[in-house]
Amino acid sequence: MRRETCQVLILGAGPGGYVCAIRAGQLGLDTVVVEAAAPGGTCLNVGCIPSKALIHAANEFQAARHLAGPNALGITGAAPTIELSRTMAWKDGIVARLTGGVAGLMRKAKVRMVAGQARILDGKSVEVATSDGPLHIQTEHLVIATGSRPQDLPVLPFGGDILSSTEALSLAAVPRRLAIVGGGYIGLEIGTAMAKLGAEVTVVEAAPRLLPQYDAELTRPVAARLKTLGVAVLTGARAQGFADGALVVATAEGDRRIPADKVLVTVGRAAATGGFGLELLQLDMAGPFIAVDDRCRTSMHRVHAIGDVTGDPMLAHRAMAQGNLVAEVIAGRNAVWDKRAMPAVCFTDPEIVTVGRLPGDAPEAAVTSFPFAGNGRALTLERDDGFVRVVHDRATGLVLGIQAVGAGVSELAGQFALALEMAATLTDIAATIHAHPTLGETVQEAALKGLGQALHM
Ligand code: FAD
């Protein structure tokens, strides 16, 4: 059997694994990354990037449809049509460009890439099934970055017309009727896009409301928009199965049949911990996830875990930050994982951004907010729904959290995170000159309002 040795061996080249590999390479560590599928992992291949490409195409299509009908802008156009297979080919081109870029960055950092399925033998060695036969790799440090995969339901196993997000992001045609089981961010992002592309969409959610991880104030504008788009929402409802072209759903009023051509199941993602010998290490687990400390160390010496395999929140930028951190820790630097200023974005319509503490997490804190209806830029974009909310210490004005719901607010996530990272106070934000007219002015206005100095309210 062929044999190799290295200092750092990373299993999985998703956002966690590839960032860890690049940083380890930059720090001069002899690094190998093993990937069974394509570089970039879930995020680049079947997650963040494909979904945002689909959302963009759907928004363009909907805007063209809007402008083809009566509108206030004085624009007259022809009704658009869509060939989804071409949209998907365009999306695939973006994915290929990005995954090729990631492979290039790893090469530049002198990281060795091995294509194949890895199987752990012990905490220091792994066997990889490559196209050239098995390869044995011996390492000083092992980093598990195997990510997650879509979770199905026993009553709705994936296959045929029952889709995971992966298949939904590669459909060749827009389904006429799409039922979505699970009203979290992945289901709503894809569902909203499909509704804009002309599908008849029904969302089934077991919790009493959509996006149950967010507070009701933040989700209300999203629910209102879904209604405008004609998306039917059934909350407090549980899917029972798919038969004779209909999704069967149990509700408080009894069973209902929802006719559907395709059913998308987005009820969560399972950590990829099985099938590659991980159990041999007998690591401490936190439920279905690998337990890690604030340096992403597992219970075994010199074995780290990062990204989705370590649990919620399953987000690409969290995986990347942990990947970077682990490379630094292995190189002997003093780095710790702190998620206090980590943003989360939901690319629904309107978008939701949350950073730091929510009003419910900090009942002793004060909250100030400003609506997009009072923002000039929002009006010129024909989108005055939503608001920005700043949670802050009552006595000092220290910003503890910022949230927003509104069109395009994802681009404010960095500004919100920076405010927390720099320990900004309301006075800092209020004194920062914000460009006019921009959506970010709402944050300044919210801060001014919190100081009792509101100018535009
Ligand atoms: P992954 O990206 O899952 O990568 C793990 C890699 O390990 C995979 O490539 C896999 O092939 C490989 N692997 C597994 N086992 C082995 C083995 N035994 N041997 C070799 N290789 C192996 N996050 C955001 O932050 N923003 C978003 O907008 C966003 N949108 C999303 C939309 C969708 C539809 C989905 C599904 C997810 C989205 N996410 C988003 C989540 C994001 O994709 C994940 O949090 C992120 O990819 C996790 O990175 P990771 O490195 O932990 O794992």
Side-chain angles (χ1 to χ4, degrees):
M1 192 191 305
R2 291 175 303 135
R3 290 180 178 273
E4 280 190 31
T5 58
C6 60
Q7 287 176 289
V8 184
L9 174 58
I10 302 160
L11 305 188
Y18 87 70
V19 167
C20 186
I22 292 172
R23 188 70 190 123
Q26 287 171 348
L27 290 166
L29 296 162
D30 180 22
T31 304
V32 172
V33 63
V34 184
E35 172 53 59
T42 302
C43 175
L44 264 56
N45 293 284
V46 293
C48 327
I49 297 299
S51 58
K52 270 76 243 181
L54 182 71
I55 290 168
H56 173 67
N59 286 345
E60 294 287 293
F61 184 68
Q62 200 216 14
R65 284 215 300 192
H66 168 60
L67 294 174
N71 63 78
L73 273 64
I75 299 174
T76 314
T81 58
I82 180 149
E83 231 179 285
L84 195 65
S85 56
R86 286 180 57 195
T87 311
M88 292 299 174
W90 163 75
K91 175 265 291 180
D92 291 342
I94 297 169
V95 170
R97 196 165 148 188
L98 290 172
T99 55
V102 163
L105 291 170
M106 287 197 282
R107 268 193 299 275
K108 191 173 149 207
K110 301 200 169 33
V111 171
R112 281 177 282 154
M113 283 171 276
V114 175
Q117 178 79 23
R119 193 166 57 83
I120 293 175
L121 303 175
D122 58 43
K124 291 198 181 316
S125 56
V126 155
E127 189 178 305
V128 187
T130 76
S131 55
D132 299 329
L135 171 68
H136 182 277
I137 309 175
Q138 185 83 21
T139 185
E140 291 170 23
H141 300 267
L142 181 65
V143 182
I144 301 161
T146 48
S148 63
R149 46 181 77 102
Q151 174 83 60
D152 60 7
L153 290 168
V155 292
L156 291 170
F158 292 137
D161 291 325
I162 302 175
L163 317 176
S164 74
S165 56
T166 301
E167 293 82 48
L169 292 169
S170 283
L171 286 172
V174 179
R176 194 164 70 82
R177 296 165 309 183
L178 175 68
I180 300 179
V181 179
Y185 88 91
I186 293 179
L188 291 191
E189 285 186 12
I190 297 175
T192 306
M194 285 297 175
K196 289 178 180 177
L197 293 173
E200 228 175 78
V201 177
T202 304
V203 181
V204 176
E205 167 59 51
R209 61 184 171 77
L210 296 175
L211 296 169
Q213 70 274 39
Y214 293 100
D215 57 84
E217 195 182 26
L218 283 175
T219 58
R220 217 167 279 129
V222 177
R225 186 74 167 170
L226 286 172
K227 203 168 177 187
T228 313
L229 291 169
V231 174
V233 175
L234 280 182
T235 51
R238 285 186 180 275
Q240 303 294 302
F242 182 58
D244 305 324
L247 179 72
V248 181
V249 177
T251 70
E253 293 80 40
D255 280 3
R256 279 188 55 178
R257 286 172 55 79
I258 300 165
D261 302 301
K262 303 275 182 204
V263 178
L264 167 61
V265 180
T266 48
V267 292
R269 294 185 59 85
T273 50
F276 64 100
L278 182 71
E279 60 288 349
L280 294 175
L281 305 186
Q282 302 209 344
L283 300 179
D284 285 356
M285 303 295 285
F289 306 110
I290 301 176
V292 287
D293 68 5
D294 63 1
R295 288 177 168 82
C296 292
R297 293 178 296 200
T298 68
S299 53
M300 186 180 242
H301 186 52
R302 294 192 170 187
V303 177
H304 286 82
I306 54 176
D308 285 6
V309 80
T310 64
D312 287 320
M314 290 188 181
L315 292 170
H317 46 273
R318 169 178 177 266
M320 291 190 213
Q322 291 184 326
N324 193 66
L325 168 104
V326 162
E328 303 260 335
V329 168
I330 292 174
R333 299 198 173 186
N334 188 13
V336 286
W337 168 240
D338 183 351
K339 62 174 189 186
R340 262 176 302 182
M342 188 182 71
V345 179
C346 185
F347 291 83
T348 40
D349 184 1
E351 295 169 343
I352 302 175
V353 177
T354 59
V355 185
R357 299 178 82 181
L358 304 168
D361 305 330
E364 74 291 356
V367 180
T368 175
S369 65
F370 192 83
F372 283 108
N375 175 268
R377 181 64 177 148
L379 298 193
T380 64
L381 294 170
E382 298 183 278
R383 291 302 299 267
D384 62 355
D385 49 339
F387 59 89
V388 165
R389 185 173 78 185
V390 183
V391 181
H392 58 96
D393 182 81
R394 209 174 282 278
T396 62
L398 180 73
V399 175
L400 305 171
I402 312 183
Q403 297 88 42
V405 52
V409 294
S410 55
E411 292 303 328
L412 299 179
Q415 175 184 342
F416 294 177
L418 186 65
L420 259 76
E421 194 63 48
M422 305 293 288
T425 60
L426 288 186
T427 308
D428 294 324
I429 296 177
T432 301
I433 300 172
H434 286 64
H436 177 76
T438 60
L439 297 175
E441 286 174 283
T442 49
V443 194
Q444 187 183 23
E445 287 292 345
L448 283 165
K449 188 178 148 202
L451 293 166
Q453 299 166 18
L455 287 172
H456 293 93
M457 204 177 188

